[in-house]
Amino acid sequence: MLGKAIQSGTKIPVEWHPTYGVPFGDKKNRTTLSSYIGVVAREPVNINYKNWGDVPKEIVDEEYEIIAKGFDVLEKRKKYILGRASIRWRAFKTRLRKYWLYKVHGNKKVVRKTSPWKYPMILQTNWNKFIKTYIEDDAFQELSKKNRGRSVKKNTSYRGGRLGYLYYEEEIVSSWKISLIKYKSEF
């Protein structure tokens, strides 16, 4: 759907919620936007930047332009789009650390020396630096230990996924309408 839109020069429409300022309306369009932001965020941005704020402005602007090619997004929504890209990029790095940094040999974990086959855009030199940063950096190890302690204390978990809480709000309203219709039909 997105590829066809970009090739034909058309853009997929995205509606924005007037109160929350998040994608709204057609579920397929907003999930496609969310997924595409994740793909675009991980491709051209090097995994070795510590924070999204360290990524050069030219790359960040390029990210937005790539997304805006396929979607009809307003310039005033640029901050939201790039904020989502930042979140997706951090989640990608977390996924790399969690699922690809180590491999299991018998009873122990061994650091994976080659870059993940699933992500061919990660060059071996970048992977080596990534390993060094997250295995040998004492500041990161300390932060990781603190965050593990915090996560144990959590008693709720985020359920929004790509669609966010707005989706669940719509689901609840829809179920209320159905319940109300059933209730009226009984009387």
Side-chain angles (χ1 to χ4, degrees), residues 4-186:
K4 288 179 184 178
I6 292 172
Q7 283 180 345
S8 68
T10 60
K11 295 184 177 195
I12 297 171
V14 179
E15 294 176 60
W16 296 88
H17 193 280
T19 306
Y20 303 122
V22 297
F24 181 67
D26 186 348
K27 182 178 166 185
K28 187 174 183 180
N29 291 358
R30 65 182 179 199
T31 56
T32 303
L33 172 65
S34 181
S35 295
Y36 192 59
I37 289 172
V39 169
V40 170
R42 72 176 180 233
E43 296 279 333
V45 180
N46 190 319
I47 58 174
N48 290 307
Y49 290 112
K50 273 212 176 211
N51 300 306
W52 184 257
D54 298 338
V55 178
K57 185 176 179 349
E58 300 82 38
I59 294 175
V60 172
D61 289 342
E62 181 183 322
E63 294 260 316
Y64 178 75
E65 292 303 319
I66 291 169
I67 293 165
K69 266 186 196 175
F71 294 92
D72 189 17
V73 291
L74 304 171
E75 183 67 29
K76 68 181 183 179
R77 299 296 181 207
K78 182 175 182 176
K79 184 176 178 180
Y80 172 85
I81 298 285
L82 293 176
R84 294 284 111 190
S86 166
I87 291 167
R88 299 290 191 274
W89 178 72
R90 285 192 321 263
F92 174 63
K93 288 177 44 170
T94 300
R95 210 169 28 258
L96 286 175
R97 286 190 303 270
K98 187 173 181 179
Y99 299 114
W100 293 96
L101 194 57
Y102 298 101
K103 57 184 172 182
V104 178
H105 276 287
N107 294 346
K108 61 181 183 174
K109 288 182 178 179
V110 179
V111 176
R112 204 180 285 265
K113 297 293 182 193
T114 57
S115 60
W117 58 266
K118 186 174 182 179
Y119 305 108
M121 75 279 197
I122 300 175
L123 303 175
Q124 188 61 44
T125 54
N126 290 339
W127 182 251
N128 293 341
K129 187 175 178 184
F130 185 78
I131 290 171
K132 187 173 179 154
T133 299
Y134 293 106
I135 299 293
E136 299 174 9
D137 185 16
D138 292 334
F140 175 78
Q141 292 300 326
E142 184 63 33
L143 178 63
S144 181
K145 185 178 178 181
K146 279 184 187 176
N147 287 338
R148 279 194 299 274
R150 287 181 191 137
S151 72
V152 170
K153 295 176 185 176
K154 283 185 1 179
N155 57 7
T156 62
S157 61
Y158 177 71
R159 295 189 25 193
R162 294 184 300 185
L163 301 176
Y165 285 121
L166 185 60
Y167 170 72
Y168 289 108
E169 183 179 303
E170 290 171 355
E171 261 189 6
I172 291 167
V173 169
S174 175
S175 69
W176 284 349
K177 287 179 183 176
I178 291 169
S179 297
L180 187 58
I181 291 169
K182 286 180 182 177
Y183 177 77
K184 285 182 178 179
S185 67
E186 290 176 5

